[in-house]
Amino acid sequence: VFFAVEEQPWGNKQPVNVSHRSKMVELAIKDQGNIFRLELPHKHFDIDHTLPYLETKFENQKLFFIFGADVFMSMNQAQWPNLNKLTKQHIIVFERGNFNDEDIQKH
């Protein structure tokens, strides 16, 4: 499992400082043998750039993407160009905020 910390998350106008978020991830995974932090080459997750990077880096591997419901529920073709490329991957969504499993399934 790899965690990627976006320097500039999509749609988040005032994210917590990237250094602080990176430290939180490091603390959360420090004693976990199979969980790592992955440095992305771009400031934010971009389907046209990040997805090919990951497919090359993890060639011949199944990719699973984990999103909070708050991010998942905002995914649409207008804000996520080429979303259809991402939806061909395995996507895991966890409940977050005011979104529950029923909302997630409908979306």
Side-chain angles (χ1 to χ4, degrees), residues 19-33:
S19 174
H20 182 71
R21 289 183 284 125
S22 293
K23 287 177 186 174
M24 287 190 297
V25 168
E26 292 295 335
L27 284 172
I29 67 174
K30 76 177 187 173
D31 295 326
Q32 306 300 314

Side-chain angles (χ1 to χ4, degrees), residues 6 11 22 24 44 47 57 73 84 88 96 103-104:
E6 288 182 289
S22 293
M24 287 190 297
H44 60 258
I47 294 170
K57 183 168 182 65
M73 296 300 285
N84 59 324
K88 291 178 183 175
R96 187 167 180 193
D103 298 326
I104 293 166

Side-chain angles (χ1 to χ4, degrees), residues 6 19 22 27 39 50-51 65 67 78 87 95-96 104 107:
E6 288 182 289
S19 174
S22 293
L27 284 172
E39 292 286 335
T50 311
L51 186 56
F65 294 88
F67 294 101
T87 57
E95 292 181 20
R96 187 167 180 193
I104 293 166
H107 186 67

Side-chain angles (χ1 to χ4, degrees), residues 45 47 65 67 75 82-89 91:
F45 184 91
I47 294 170
F65 294 88
F67 294 101
M75 289 180 163
N82 295 313
L83 182 60
N84 59 324
K85 291 179 183 178
L86 182 63
T87 57
K88 291 178 183 175
Q89 305 296 324
I91 297 178

Side-chain angles (χ1 to χ4, degrees), residues 69 72-73 95 98-107:
F72 179 75
M73 296 300 285
E95 292 181 20
N98 295 326
F99 301 109
N100 60 35
D101 187 53
E102 185 178 332
D103 298 326
I104 293 166
Q105 293 299 324
K106 285 180 185 177
H107 186 67

